[in-house]
Amino acid sequence: DPMSRTDPPHPPRRDASHPLRVLVLGNIHGGKGETLLSRVLPELNNAADAGSIEFVLLGSGDAGMRFFGQGNVHVLQTYAHANLAREVTELDPDLALLPANVAETWSYTLSELWSLGVPVLATRLGSFAERIQHGRSGLLVDADPHAIAVLLRQLACDRTPLHSLQAPALPNVADMVAAWRNALPVAARPPAPVRAASPERDLDCAIWPRYACTWRVGARRLHARLRESAPLVPARARDRSTLFR
């Protein structure tokens, strides 16, 4: 189960002489990343930053197409989940950016990135702020395009802060089910009482089959009458049509 892996993030293998490769994983529609990215990228699109940072949008969906053609952005709209580990290994990102500007309640994308050993930089919102320990299991930044651009520039020059990040152990399905049971205990319920037999119930059980039988007989008779009258319908239709000639 890839979600239960606990591989630590690998230290970036590229130094500052190579572009900082930033992976943005998953659908980025609207507040999931599109909004902030559309404001971060112009901040990094100048001569001073040229060639120092590159973005890979993997599985971005249609929202990623607005960034297609920008010099420092590579867009891969879809991916097969079964091939995700191989895709990420081949891309070999230095870190992953989670640029949501709306709070998420859990974020399976964060779990996927941790399980794949990719260092994470996320906005300080919702479950990101709750799950990520800044400087230990990931990096947090305000959901502000300028703050994100500044931190990315710093990491492009010095990737040391990424080396010490350690992904936390991720719970498996059994652990999560047990945690929910502890958080929301459900009192054991006694089995529903068996309804005692009564003369009225026995009478109902005897009468309803008779009604059902009567309805079936009536349905058969109606069907037979419809079949008998079917040949007359075209003739009557022809007769009626002559009224409008």
Side-chain angles (χ1 to χ4, degrees), residues 13-75:
R13 286 184 284 274
R14 288 179 295 275
D15 58 23
S17 63
H18 298 82
L20 180 75
R21 185 168 298 165
V22 181
L23 171 66
V24 180
L25 179 63
N27 196 306
I28 59 170
H29 178 72
K32 293 181 72 68
E34 179 185 7
T35 302
L36 263 182
L37 274 179
S38 67
R39 298 171 63 191
V40 170
L41 292 174
E43 293 234 5
L44 298 172
N45 191 18
N46 55 56
D49 297 312
S52 63
I53 303 172
E54 62 181 6
F55 292 82
V56 180
L57 312 186
L58 177 59
S60 63
D62 293 338
M65 292 309 295
R66 70 179 291 182
F67 306 108
F68 187 79
Q70 297 193 28
N72 60 337
V73 181
H74 309 280
V75 179

Side-chain angles (χ1 to χ4, degrees), residues 36-193:
L36 263 182
L37 274 179
S38 67
R39 298 171 63 191
V40 170
L41 292 174
E43 293 234 5
L44 298 172
N45 191 18
N46 55 56
D49 297 312
S52 63
I53 303 172
E54 62 181 6
F55 292 82
V56 180
L57 312 186
L58 177 59
S60 63
D62 293 338
M65 292 309 295
R66 70 179 291 182
F67 306 108
F68 187 79
Q70 297 193 28
N72 60 337
V73 181
H74 309 280
V75 179
L76 301 169
Q77 285 183 275
T78 61
Y79 66 87
H81 187 266
N83 299 330
L84 178 59
R86 178 175 58 80
E87 295 262 15
V88 172
T89 298
E90 291 176 355
L91 291 171
D92 194 24
D94 292 294
L95 79 155
L97 173 65
L98 296 174
N101 68 327
V102 295
E104 299 210 21
T105 56
W106 175 252
S107 181
Y108 286 103
T109 304
L110 173 59
S111 298
E112 289 276 17
L113 291 167
W114 273 341
S115 72
L116 294 170
V118 181
V120 174
L121 166 62
T123 49
R124 192 179 282 104
L125 293 171
S127 64
F128 297 156
E130 294 171 359
R131 299 181 64 193
I132 297 173
Q133 291 182 291
H134 180 69
R136 297 183 62 186
S137 59
L139 299 175
L140 293 169
V141 64
D142 291 337
D144 173 76
H146 180 68
I148 294 171
V150 167
L151 182 51
L152 289 175
R153 286 193 194 100
Q154 292 173 354
L155 293 172
C157 296
D158 179 12
R159 301 176 196 185
T160 305
L162 301 175
H163 296 178
S164 60
L165 298 181
Q166 179 78 33
L170 297 174
N172 56 34
V173 174
D175 293 336
M176 289 189 285
V177 170
W180 276 111
R181 284 178 175 167
N182 291 333
L184 301 171
V186 178
R189 297 181 180 178

